[in-house]
């Protein structure tokens, strides 16, 4: 976990992304709490995907698995790192929300952010390509959850949005989707690596 955290915080593009999204989150929090909540959730999702998928994207995953052959433990370290980074990002970017006196909404978002990060990290372990994952879930979010289900069905992102407002039922549904994604990731992490 420490090496994953070190890698996530020392790569220049990661630092720039975290700082940029953090400043943008502070601005959103000062203007609109819902916009900050959406940015915090999307930022947590994106950061977690990049932490797990970067090894596949940069083709360093073979070296990682040679150094640490127990792939499930590597995945657990990446998931914990994703949670730490996403939670830190959300906590810092939301200081303007707390300054506005919305501490309960801030706490609700900080409760759902680790669940989003685990969900995203698990999905990245299955898909392995961040672009495919981002495009696939963008389409899913807009067309399936937005247009078809109108954000009312117990689907992952609808549950995350509901959990961010303090709805306990949505939080439980989000946790169930995350548990399902973790199960798939534990199986998928044993797959062969592509030869390209």
């Amino acid at each position: 976990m420490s090496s994953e955290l070190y890698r996530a915080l020392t790569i220049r593009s990661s630092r720039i992304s975290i700082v940029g999204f953090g400043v943008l989150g502070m601005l959103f929090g000062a203007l609109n709490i819902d916009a900050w909540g959406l940015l915090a959730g999307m930022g947590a999702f994106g950061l977690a995907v990049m932490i797990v998928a970067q090894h596949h994207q940069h083709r360093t995953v073979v070296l990682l698995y040679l150094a640490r052959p127990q792939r499930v433990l590597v995945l657990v370290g990446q998931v914990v790192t994703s949670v730490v980074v996403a939670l830190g990002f959300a906590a810092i970017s939301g200081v303007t929300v707390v300054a506005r006196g919305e501490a309960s909404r801030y706490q609700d978002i900080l409760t759902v952010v680790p669940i989003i990060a685990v969900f995203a990290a698990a999905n990245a372990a299955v898909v392995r390509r961040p672009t495919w994952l981002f495009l696939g879930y963008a389409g899913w979010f807009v067309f399936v959850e937005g247009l078809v289900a109108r954000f009312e069905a117990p689907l992952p992102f609808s549950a995350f949005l509901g959990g961010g407002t303090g709805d306990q039922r949505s939080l439980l549904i989000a946790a169930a989707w995350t548990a399902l994604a973790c199960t798939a990731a534990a199986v998928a992490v044993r797959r062969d690596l592509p030869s390209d």
Side-chain angles (χ1 to χ4, degrees), residues 7 49-62 64-65 71 75 78 124-130 188-189 191-194 196:
R7 185 180 59 84
V49 166
M50 292 311 297
I51 286 171
V52 174
Q54 274 183 344
H55 282 296
H56 294 281
Q57 184 179 9
H58 298 295
R59 292 178 170 69
T60 58
V61 70
V62 173
L64 175 66
Y65 288 153
R71 292 183 181 190
L75 178 62
Q78 290 174 331
V126 173
V127 176
R128 296 182 174 175
R129 301 281 190 235
V189 78
R191 282 189 339 238
D192 286 340
L193 299 172
D196 59 349

Side-chain angles (χ1 to χ4, degrees), residues 5-83:
L5 191 57
Y6 177 79
R7 185 180 59 84
L9 298 177
T10 56
I11 295 174
R12 186 177 338 145
S13 61
S14 296
R15 281 195 318 253
I16 291 170
S17 298
I18 292 169
V19 169
F21 273 115
V23 170
L24 192 61
M26 287 180 195
L27 292 174
F28 280 13
L31 300 174
N32 186 328
I33 295 169
D34 292 328
W36 168 75
L38 187 60
L39 180 73
M42 287 177 17
F45 187 87
L47 289 170
V49 166
M50 292 311 297
I51 286 171
V52 174
Q54 274 183 344
H55 282 296
H56 294 281
Q57 184 179 9
H58 298 295
R59 292 178 170 69
T60 58
V61 70
V62 173
L63 297 173
L64 175 66
Y65 288 153
L66 285 173
R68 307 251 187 242
Q70 295 178 341
R71 292 183 181 190
V72 174
L73 290 178
V74 170
L75 178 62
V76 168
Q78 290 174 331
V79 168
V80 170
T81 302
S82 299
V83 169

Side-chain angles (χ1 to χ4, degrees), residues 144-146 148-155 157-159 161 169-170 173:
V144 176
E145 294 201 30
V148 175
R150 306 232 182 255
F151 298 111
E152 295 173 3
L155 297 172
F157 293 104
S158 300
L161 290 172
R169 180 178 176 273
S170 294
I173 292 170

Side-chain angles (χ1 to χ4, degrees), residues 5 7 70 80 87 89 91-92 113 117 136 142-143 148 182 184:
L5 191 57
R7 185 180 59 84
Q70 295 178 341
V80 170
L87 198 54
F89 155 74
I92 292 170
V113 160
V142 170
F143 294 109
V148 175
C182 287

